[in-house]
Amino acid sequence: MDTTVDLDTFSSLVERPDESARRAAEERWQQLDKPRGGLGQLEELGAWLASVQGGSPVRPLTAAKVLLFAGDHGVASLGVSRADAQGRTAERVHAVLEGTAPVAVLARRYGADVRVVDLAVDAPVGEFPEEVTRHRVRRGSGRIDVEDALTPEEAVRAFQAGMAVADEEAELGTDLVVLGDLGVGSTTVAAVLIGALCGTDAAAVTGRGSGIDDHVWMVKCATVRDALRRARPVLGDQLALLGAVGGADFAAVTGFLLQAAARKLPVVLDGVVSAACALVAQRIAFRAPEWWRAGQISGEPAQAKAFDRLTLTPLQSLGVSMGEGVGALLTLPLLQAASDTLAEPSETLLVTKVARAPQEPRRLPTAAELLGRA
């Protein structure tokens, strides 16, 4: 594998979404039989979808994919998460694959597929199917308060793995990606990256993550502080930054976001992890955020700072803080509503007919029958 990445090329590869398609969508909204601005935020979402699809009328969203990048982090050994959290990344991956995790349940409800990409889960390779582990870089990442998360070669491999996933999804015809993460200790890593890139101190970016108490928060804050000292010398080199205080999953998500923007594949960001990677990606290609939408605000202070720096306004504020793409996935019906309303009526009817399988009508008992049973 080539162990070099020319990050400068992304500035030219990532184009702006189609502005003429956006204007055409805005004009189409005005032609519909409704009050001006009557559909509120759906109108802005529909115009954004037209711009990233490169045409108007908008095509209905029929191939959304939930992508979960998974990895463990050495800082979890310091107890920066709940006492029962360490070692649970593998369990969470199994729950998603078995279809019992909340994100899997919701994805079925909304008609989206789910894909897990293991970059650095602390589990034997054979524990998960080959399609989950084929992009794995290592088992766990280094403890970023005292050592690098990755070697330079591993950082490049992880970044390229994310790019490869974006290419795979674009070739498969995925029309929208809901981006999430699976990993214990990941909010600590995200806080370090965002704190370093925004120039803030540890207390301003350290949140409660998995629901920690005050004592654990102080431990987490000290860990973020120490890692920030290690991050500042490499701020000018994004791959070195991801290697020093990121992780294989963070490097992969950053590579994915950039390549997805280059391939004109729209993405909905979820929690503080995807926000941190988006902030790193913005440093590489300043137009890339135009291909993303912020799904929700989770309550993590670092996430709010990142979205503010990215000038992205979260679509919802439901207080979903569990990660795993759940908060972002809850915005999928909004995007589907925007695309369906703005699409050609014939396309929407076709999608609806295909999605609805015929069912036998359910007969409810009459009042007399119910009384007869009493």
Side-chain angles (χ1 to χ4, degrees), residues 15 48 62 65 97 114 117 192 207 275 280 335 358:
E15 303 175 358
W48 175 70
T62 59
K65 176 75 65 70
L97 297 178
V114 180
V117 184
V192 174
V280 178
L335 290 155

Side-chain angles (χ1 to χ4, degrees), residues 90-101 104-105 108 116 127-128:
E91 295 178 18
R92 292 163 67 185
V93 171
H94 279 300
V96 174
L97 297 178
E98 292 163 4
T100 59
V105 174
R108 286 196 299 272
V116 179
E127 185 160 337
F128 309 127

